[in-house]
Amino acid sequence: MKKYIINSFMLFCCLLCPFLPGTVQAESGQNAMALLPFTVNSGKDMSYLREGLRQMLSSRLSAEAGVSVLAREKVDSALKTAGKDLSNEKSAAFARKVGAGYVLSGSVTALGGGMSFDAKVYSAKEKKSQTFYATASTEAEVMDAIDKLSWDIAADVFGRQRPAKYRANAVQAAAPVNPYETAHPDRSYIKSGGFSGVSSKWLDGGQRFVKTRNISLSLEAMAVGDVDGDGQLDVVMADRQTVKVFHLNNNRLNEFASTSLLPRYKIHAVNTADLNNDGKSEIYISAADTIVAGSRGVAWDGEKLVSLFDEARYFIRPMMVPSLGVTLVGQKKGVDSKLIDGPIFTLIRNGDTLVTDEVIPIPQGLNVFNIAFADLEGNGDWKVVVVDQFSRIRVLETSGKILWKSQDRYGATRRYVGGENTAKTPTSQNYSEMPDGTAGDAFEKIWIHSRIVVKDLDQDGIDDIILNKNKETATNVVRDMQTFPSGTVMGMKWNGLGLEEIWQTKRIDGYVVDYELESGHTDSAGEKDRLFVGVVTQGGFLDMISGDDSTLLIYPFVPKKD
């Protein structure tokens, strides 16, 4: 019955709200607010929150900030023609249309037994937006989270004085990290069953994860690294054409840089690595149109992101290569039906271009995104871990001999390269650089799976493998129609015969897009490993004003002590 408590609790609050004092329906005016229905991101039906939250915030902002709220009917009528994404420009037009000085929109995300609330207030006078965020890890904290959200808006937008419990110092003292926390990932410790090489050291820490605020972005790829060289971890998030970089301050995301690719290219992978050893992680963006790669590298120059190379005709990523360490590798366009094919090269920069260096000795038929080297037995004998185009894991010798193949599917995403080119005319001056293909060529779709993370998490000298498993709504026969309503991330270890799952996160409601493991930064107390998981949250079909929202989950891990 516990899983129904928060639903019942919120439903009671929503039914109560229309009778609360302080809700004022205003006429048009400079100080009037248009309060939009919230987007609800949840794996189950919680549509009642849409109006309930609007009622609660209307009541609180009227009482706490003296805000006059426009009639709901007037706002909803105007929303029918406003479109799905209220950018600042569209918010300004919407405010003029309804005669409001402010426009408040937002979303609520139910995840892992708790809730997070994201809000944006656009000021017509200031011509800019402010974002606000509050979280509740249990049903008992929901009302307090809504109170905090409304007081933050009242204070920062309307200059009202917060009560003592909602002031910054009080909040930090009570909760030094993001309070949106829930139970640790389920851990199912493997039994050796007579197999050799299975460690007895298990993850002892990481009892709770934290969630950042929602970002209005349809996530295609993500990475983490110290982009600006300040010793603090930064988060890189990309949609189809734009890469945004965020400072991660106390588990809060604050954007400080961005860069965009030409409209013809679609991003399918983003990675970070400090390959020039200057203390700052470069960002390596692998992108392509339907017939050729157009990848890019950027770095922070102290004020902005600057290009290291543009429209490189390689599919790229930094990768750990035995005897070489982490190095930039790439693959060219195929000569037949495959857009990615042939040998994988190490790449070096020659001015603002990339050139091939040497071929990496791996089996043929693999692509640069579906492989990783791992020492699965702790003896220095490197194996190649592969996720094939059917989302099955394969473990290979470097000679190509197959040691094991999984029955379950892992690493599935919506990302792919190839397919038929719908643009029949050149789209850039560099189109002449494509002698192997012409507009209209069709290439086999190659699916870009989630990254294969290799890390000795339990410090036993044997590499662990981390991969995701997205729940599929259709079979691979109709893969183009697949959606992923939920997923998990799991750790695996070689038991002598195959990779076996040893822990996994609880179900994550939403599409698990990408993830990365990082450690050793000054913002990670105790040198913990932290698993960062990028998720596209779920919205309902009634959502009128929002596109995809994405968020970041952070799982801390601490090795068990003997």
Side-chain angles (χ1 to χ4, degrees), residues 302-360:
E303 296 182 354
K304 61 184 182 302
L305 294 175
V306 296
S307 292
L308 301 175
F309 53 86
D310 284 302
E311 295 195 84
R313 301 309 181 199
Y314 301 94
F315 298 90
I316 64 171
R317 61 171 278 223
M319 186 171 75
M320 196 292 298
V321 180
S323 77
L324 295 179
V326 178
T327 186
L328 186 65
V329 301
Q331 203 166 11
K332 294 181 178 180
K333 172 187 168 184
V335 295
D336 295 319
S337 62
K338 291 186 177 181
L339 188 54
I340 306 178
D341 201 11
I344 298 176
F345 297 91
T346 59
L347 300 174
I348 57 176
R349 285 174 55 201
N350 181 13
D352 58 357
T353 62
L354 292 179
V355 295
T356 58
D357 187 14
E358 56 184 281
V359 175
I360 298 176

Side-chain angles (χ1 to χ4, degrees), residues 475-494:
T475 67
N476 277 19
V477 176
V478 287
R479 180 144 186 191
D480 286 358
M481 300 174 60
Q482 279 183 337
T483 59
F484 301 108
S486 64
T488 58
V489 182
M490 56 196 58
M492 292 176 278
K493 210 170 191 68
W494 185 255

Side-chain angles (χ1 to χ4, degrees), residues 315-531:
F315 298 90
I316 64 171
R317 61 171 278 223
M319 186 171 75
M320 196 292 298
V321 180
S323 77
L324 295 179
V326 178
T327 186
L328 186 65
V329 301
Q331 203 166 11
K332 294 181 178 180
K333 172 187 168 184
V335 295
D336 295 319
S337 62
K338 291 186 177 181
L339 188 54
I340 306 178
D341 201 11
I344 298 176
F345 297 91
T346 59
L347 300 174
I348 57 176
R349 285 174 55 201
N350 181 13
D352 58 357
T353 62
L354 292 179
V355 295
T356 58
D357 187 14
E358 56 184 281
V359 175
I360 298 176
I362 59 171
Q364 295 183 354
L366 304 180
N367 73 63
V368 69
F369 301 108
N370 70 349
I371 64 169
F373 290 97
D375 184 358
L376 297 179
E377 297 177 307
N379 58 5
D381 184 13
W382 294 96
K383 302 295 189 291
V384 183
V385 182
V386 178
V387 178
D388 65 25
Q389 285 297 291
F390 299 98
S391 302
R392 312 284 189 185
I393 305 175
R394 300 186 185 209
V395 177
L396 312 176
E397 298 277 9
T398 54
S399 64
K401 178 182 177 181
I402 299 177
L403 301 178
W404 176 77
K405 179 181 177 180
S406 71
Q407 295 299 312
D408 291 342
R409 291 187 173 91
Y410 298 85
T413 72
R414 298 173 186 165
R415 300 189 296 270
Y416 65 87
V417 297
E420 184 176 358
N421 180 34
T422 57
K424 303 299 183 182
T425 58
T427 53
S428 95
Q429 294 179 349
N430 293 325
Y431 211 79
S432 60
E433 297 177 15
M434 298 179 284
D436 297 329
T438 58
D441 283 353
F443 289 92
E444 172 188 340
K445 282 186 178 178
I446 297 177
W447 295 93
I448 307 299
H449 290 85
S450 298
R451 70 181 72 232
I452 304 169
V453 176
V454 179
K455 173 75 174 183
D456 181 10
L457 269 174
D458 52 10
Q459 300 180 2
D460 65 348
I462 300 172
D463 284 336
D464 301 81
I465 304 297
I466 298 176
L467 270 167
N468 73 313
K469 183 186 286 186
N470 278 317
K471 182 179 179 181
E472 303 170 4
T473 58
T475 67
N476 277 19
V477 176
V478 287
R479 180 144 186 191
D480 286 358
M481 300 174 60
Q482 279 183 337
T483 59
F484 301 108
S486 64
T488 58
V489 182
M490 56 196 58
M492 292 176 278
K493 210 170 191 68
W494 185 255
N495 63 18
L497 297 177
L499 289 173
E500 192 164 4
E501 297 174 8
I502 59 173
W503 59 262
Q504 69 176 18
T505 65
K506 286 185 177 180
R507 187 187 75 177
I508 300 170
D509 290 327
Y511 165 39
V512 176
V513 179
D514 208 348
Y515 45 87
E516 190 163 7
L517 192 78
E518 276 287 345
S519 62
H521 289 269
T522 57
D523 58 343
S524 177
E527 301 296 311
K528 298 176 187 175
D529 292 306
R530 290 178 293 175
L531 178 66

